[in-house]
Amino acid sequence: MSTVIYSSPIFGPVHSRRLGISLGINLMPSDGKICTFDCIYCECGFNSERRPSSRRPSRDDVRQALETRLIDMKNNGPEPNVLTFAGNGEPTAHPEFPGIVNDVLSLRDKYFPKAQVSVLSNGTRIFDNDVFQALLRLDNNIQKLDTVNQDYIGLLDNPVGKYDVEKVIERLCDFNGRVMIQTMFLTGAFNGHDMTNTSEEFVKPWIDALLRIKPYKVFIYTVARETPVATLAKASAETLDGIAARLRGLGFETVVSY
């Protein structure tokens, strides 16, 4: 059972497989998880088993904590490559997310103007126009698309509310290429279902969706930490490299994390 819960509102810096030295911005409570997905591979565990008792940090909480940490890093190091919205759940679900984005960009410009600002998001809030516009202001707008199979999404990502993958893909197209896509590939089983999503049945429709979305970068990765479902396992490096080669052949910049 996974037990990783991140400090709030600031954690790290950590070394991200995808982004380098990353200072984390966690907009969820520090003692639990709030997410619009309930992924069976989430390192933070299941929503029902990680219910917080404290509140989300306010916009002012985030601004003050981030500025304090950036001042310390300016004086003592290390210099961050990126400031990343991530942590114990879906960052864009915070009701003050657009305003917090403004604050983070301003503080980045003040203390580490070479650093980028990123978000790791599951795409469930991109239909909110204020959230959508805030995402466009980020350097790295990273949105999850684990598959285009609706039934499989119900098993793997387990959306908390209504989730129509075709509508999500259409909305991702509205970014006009100003988006990155991250996808989890894995093997194993869950409740009697084969969860392997590396076969052509899954990969070809997913690639077709990428051709529509036109992301400027694709991150493919696999299980790297403990998951709440013990019967899940890594996709092989050979398999990931094969998928990456197909994407690169189509002109997609692709980053693989094993």
Side-chain angles (χ1 to χ4, degrees):
M1 179 64 190
S2 178
T3 58
V4 177
I5 293 292
Y6 293 95
S7 300
S8 179
I10 306 300
F11 65 92
V14 299
H15 189 273
S16 167
R17 292 184 291 168
R18 285 158 283 183
L19 302 171
I21 298 174
S22 172
L23 185 66
I25 303 169
N26 176 23
L27 303 185
M28 297 301 133
S30 60
D31 62 345
K33 178 187 172 193
I34 300 175
C35 196
T36 52
F37 271 4
D38 199 11
C39 300
I40 62 174
Y41 60 79
C42 181
E43 64 183 353
C44 296
F46 289 122
N47 294 349
S48 61
E49 297 172 348
R50 293 291 183 269
R51 296 191 185 281
S53 57
S54 59
R55 63 174 178 83
R56 293 183 177 101
S58 68
R59 176 179 176 178
D60 193 53
D61 291 336
V62 176
R63 183 190 59 77
Q64 290 187 32
L66 178 59
E67 184 161 31
T68 297
R69 190 69 181 93
L70 291 178
I71 290 171
D72 177 71
M73 294 176 79
K74 192 74 174 178
N75 292 331
N76 303 302
E79 181 172 342
N81 300 120
V82 63
L83 312 179
T84 306
F85 288 101
N88 306 336
E90 173 53 36
T92 63
H94 193 292
E96 297 182 281
F97 178 75
I100 293 171
V101 165
N102 291 340
D103 295 340
V104 171
L105 291 173
S106 177
L107 290 170
R108 181 277 307 271
D109 293 345
K110 181 177 181 179
Y111 293 104
F112 291 102
K114 293 182 180 179
Q116 297 189 323
V117 179
S118 302
V119 66
L120 302 181
S121 173
N122 61 27
T124 54
R125 296 276 294 147
I126 56 177
F127 297 96
D128 181 300
N129 189 60
D130 289 339
V131 170
F132 187 88
Q133 295 302 321
L135 291 168
L136 283 172
R137 294 197 293 274
L138 301 180
D139 299 294
N140 300 313
N141 170 26
I142 305 173
Q143 299 292 324
K144 176 185 295 297
L145 186 66
D146 285 336
T147 178
V148 300
N149 183 306
Q150 188 73 47
D151 292 336
Y152 183 84
I153 289 170
L155 293 169
L156 184 74
D157 298 324
N158 193 20
V160 173
K162 185 177 180 180
Y163 182 93
D164 185 324
V165 67
E166 176 56 30
K167 290 183 178 179
V168 169
I169 292 168
E170 291 174 359
R171 186 59 166 160
L172 290 170
C173 291
D174 290 340
F175 283 116
N176 293 319
R178 295 178 62 187
V179 64
M180 303 180 184
I181 297 296
Q182 62 169 351
T183 299
M184 167 67 77
F185 287 103
L186 45 70
T187 64
F190 174 61
N191 286 347
H193 298 277
D194 181 6
M195 298 306 299
T196 303
N197 65 340
T198 57
S199 67
E200 192 68 5
E201 173 189 359
F202 290 95
V203 174
K204 176 61 166 59
W206 171 77
I207 290 177
D208 289 342
L210 295 182
L211 290 169
R212 293 168 57 192
I213 298 166
K214 297 180 174 60
Y216 64 93
K217 186 178 290 186
V218 180
F219 295 99
I220 61 175
Y221 64 121
T222 191
V223 176
R225 302 179 178 91
E226 186 182 359
T227 65
V229 174
T231 50
L232 301 177
K234 284 178 173 289
S236 70
E238 180 181 14
T239 297
L240 294 178
D241 286 341
I243 295 171
R246 292 175 65 176
L247 294 177
R248 290 168 183 147
L250 292 168
F252 291 109
E253 181 179 351
T254 306
V255 177
V256 184
S257 299
Y258 305 103

